[in-house]
Amino acid sequence: MKRITILLLTIAAIVLTGCDKTQKNFDKNLLLGKWQSGTEYWVYQTGGIGHTWDTSDDITEEEAQGFNWEVNGSQFIITHRGEMGELIPKSYTLVLLTSDKLQYKDNYNKTYSFTKVQ
């Protein structure tokens, strides 16, 4: 009887910890292109590279800051390249990714929303 109880508890623990129903898989190809939120622009290119700028800071696309990006399931990581060559990774959770809408949130539940413009 003791063995059966231990076996059932082990199976229950595996089932409960092994199934993450909140994890979604997003098609990273939908991310490719130019996205806008207000005066902020992000361009995601193949090969996990991109660039970003904000016109309210009087920055043009030619002066944009480069970054690397990757999508794994719903995990979205953007690694900025600083002016001194330092790498600054930031991790987000994708909430929505369609052919024209992008939404993700940071670890503090701040949500970022974008519309594809190209």
Side-chain angles (χ1 to χ4, degrees):
M1 183 69 169
K2 195 175 198 180
R3 283 185 170 173
I4 292 173
T5 303
I6 292 172
L7 179 63
L8 289 174
L9 288 174
T10 303
I11 291 171
I14 291 170
V15 168
L16 291 175
T17 59
C19 299
D20 182 6
K21 292 183 170 84
T22 61
Q23 177 75 15
K24 294 180 182 177
N25 287 316
F26 290 91
D27 181 0
K28 64 182 176 183
N29 292 319
L30 292 173
L31 192 58
L32 300 177
K34 184 190 280 187
W35 297 83
Q36 180 182 5
S37 178
T39 60
E40 190 175 339
Y41 293 86
W42 292 75
V43 175
Y44 298 91
Q45 300 167 302
T46 58
I49 60 172
H51 54 280
T52 182
W53 70 98
D54 190 335
T55 58
S56 71
D57 293 332
D58 201 26
I59 305 287
T60 65
E61 185 170 3
E62 292 75 27
E63 303 167 309
Q65 179 189 35
F67 64 87
N68 295 337
W69 64 270
E70 64 180 272
V71 172
N72 185 8
S74 62
Q75 184 181 25
F76 182 37
I77 299 173
I78 298 174
T79 304
H80 295 274
R81 295 186 294 255
E83 291 180 11
M84 304 300 282
E86 71 276 16
L87 299 178
I88 307 160
K90 294 184 179 181
S91 182
Y92 303 95
T93 301
L94 282 170
V95 176
L96 175 69
L97 178 57
T98 66
S99 61
D100 63 342
K101 299 285 181 203
L102 169 62
Q103 192 173 70
Y104 54 89
K105 63 182 179 177
D106 64 16
N107 293 332
Y108 303 102
N109 282 325
K110 179 178 179 186
T111 301
Y112 303 86
S113 298
F114 297 84
T115 303
K116 187 177 267 187
V117 292
Q118 281 182 337

